[in-house]
Amino acid sequence: MTSSIIAQVRNLSVQYGTKHVLSDISTSIVQSEIRVILGASGCGKTTLLKAMVGLLKPVAGSIRLFDTEINDQDDPATVEVLKKVGVLFQNCALLGSLTIEDNISLPLQMHTDLPLQVIKEIVSYKLAQVKLTDAGPLLPSELSGGMRKRAALARALVLDPPLLFCDEPSAGLDPVTAAGLDRLLITLRESLGITIVVVTHELHSIESIADNISFLYDGSLFFEGPFTEARKLTGGPVYDFFTRQESNQPLHDETRQDHFVETYQ
């Protein structure tokens, strides 16, 4: 049975001013997979994520989430579909003047009419889900880096989105804390059945969580497929990335690694 497609990108191109960052990107992400978007610094990973959640307007191509095309964020259909998406930002984006529980409750206050007591109960549950039961009354500045990531993750999950985007979730964390966050993402996928898209360049995280990878190189989608297949490659930019070698290989059509999982064809 073919899994349902949750996110679909077709012929996407993005530029900043006159600088082309992404060119003709096409990919599909299916229900309950963990997709990792990776590549060297500056390859366009975060740009692709921002475009997929409507924060950047492409110059060409389309993005569909839950079979709804993402347009301007003032478009009512786009607003509704984005309520089904959670985002864990690289810098956490927690409001420093609010407690952790107030930060997490914001989406509920903005997008629901739930009574305050119900909101408090949901926030408590989400904090327990990310193992931060006692952190609610604290300010973000009173938490460690790993705890702030978990708090931001709780906020991203507070509306129970079926799709979660994470931008460099392990950035700035020590290896033990990063591994704990990886295990938490896997647990959330297994317990909630959510689809997770992760932007990262951390090799240990990729090896721990990835079902499939999308490897960007020079603004293009160079390889896409199961992580296990990517690790079998013996040359080219994907191989260089995983073996920590500087890639001097030019991007030509004859060197492109066209490995696609069957579902995406």
Side-chain angles (χ1 to χ4, degrees), residues 27-29 33-36 196-198 212-214 224 264:
T27 187
S28 296
I29 296 166
E33 76 164 298
I34 297 181
R35 172 70 63 86
V36 173
I196 305 177
V197 180
V198 179
N212 299 296
I213 69 168
S214 296
E224 183 169 87
Y264 307 144

Side-chain angles (χ1 to χ4, degrees), residues 38-94:
L38 66 155
S41 297
C43 70
K45 302 185 296 294
T46 295
T47 296
L48 177 56
L49 182 149
K50 287 181 176 178
M52 291 181 73
V53 299
L55 294 176
L56 285 177
K57 188 173 179 61
V59 295
S62 65
I63 298 165
R64 299 182 72 85
L65 302 180
F66 306 100
D67 207 28
T68 299
E69 186 162 350
I70 299 301
N71 295 303
D72 188 279
Q73 290 206 353
D74 293 328
D75 173 48
T78 297
V79 171
E80 284 306 307
V81 79
L82 289 178
K83 291 178 185 177
K84 299 164 70 175
V85 175
V87 183
L88 171 58
F89 295 98
Q90 181 177 348
N91 63 359
C92 299
L94 296 169

Side-chain angles (χ1 to χ4, degrees), residues 94-100 103 135-143 148:
L94 296 169
L95 298 178
S97 60
L98 298 182
T99 64
I100 295 303
N103 267 281
L138 302 177
L139 293 171
S141 61
E142 297 177 286
L143 301 185
R148 283 195 296 273

